[in-house]
Amino acid sequence: MTIAVGEKLPDVKLIKVGESGPEPVQSGEYFAGKKIAFFAVPGAFTPTCSAKHLPGFVDKAAEFKAKGVDEIVCTSVNDAFVMGAWGKAAEASDVTLLADGNADFAKAVDLTMDGSGFGMGTRSQRYSMVINDGVVEQLNVEAPGSFEVSSAEHMLGQL
């Protein structure tokens, strides 16, 4: 069952793209005690994700901080090396990239999609969440092929 507003996030391992390489983190610990603007994309370096989704959060990072957000976090079903290269290419230093290489987080929140028709296998759906101390305060799941409710602009309006 898809995670819902008011529910605590599942505790699964993700890989943080760190200064000195991949760093394993537990989602339960990582999201505790912080207000997070969180968004998930189907894939690093994919057209909408690279041209619109990630850049929107990069461009509006100061606005998120001004509204009390401690951290902006992006996840994708990619490995940490791909996520790191994507972050560098997008100059996304204000966004924490968490790799969900095995789709463990996407499965745990029940927000996966089947990208096998494009040779991508199981991926995350496109969505965003406002997370406060590990609890979902807002959840915005996109319809297939859409990019509206998970955008930085939409999320800023929810804060």
Side-chain angles (χ1 to χ4, degrees):
M1 187 166 187
T2 302
I3 195 157
V5 170
E7 292 183 346
K8 190 167 185 65
L9 290 176
D11 188 26
V12 298
K13 184 174 90 173
L14 295 162
I15 306 295
K16 181 179 178 185
V17 177
E19 297 283 325
S20 57
E23 304 167 6
V25 298
Q26 284 298 126
S27 59
E29 293 173 33
Y30 194 81
F31 295 114
K34 299 185 253 183
K35 186 166 193 160
I36 306 283
F38 180 92
F39 66 105
V41 298
F45 292 109
T46 57
T48 300
C49 306
S50 291
K52 296 178 183 175
H53 213 164
L54 179 59
F57 283 89
V58 170
D59 293 343
K60 302 213 177 281
E63 293 177 51
F64 278 98
K65 301 283 183 192
K67 290 198 173 216
V69 169
D70 297 306
E71 189 171 356
I72 301 169
V73 175
C74 174
T75 190
S76 182
V77 180
N78 289 107
D79 65 67
F81 300 104
V82 168
M83 293 293 281
W86 188 43
K88 283 180 185 163
E91 298 178 359
S93 60
D94 290 329
V95 177
T96 301
L97 300 175
L98 295 179
D100 185 21
N102 296 322
D104 293 334
F105 187 83
K107 290 173 187 172
V109 296
D110 195 24
L111 286 166
T112 61
M113 62 170 252
D114 181 4
S116 59
F118 300 100
M120 296 171 67
T122 299
R123 292 293 175 131
S124 175
Q125 289 183 49
R126 185 181 307 282
Y127 66 93
S128 68
M129 291 191 269
V130 175
I131 302 165
N132 197 352
D133 194 21
V135 176
V136 178
E137 286 189 342
Q138 299 284 339
L139 176 61
N140 310 295
V141 181
E142 295 287 0
S146 293
F147 175 64
E148 295 170 17
V149 299
S150 66
S151 71
E153 294 81 6
H154 182 82
M155 185 180 273
L156 277 167
Q158 294 179 311
L159 295 171

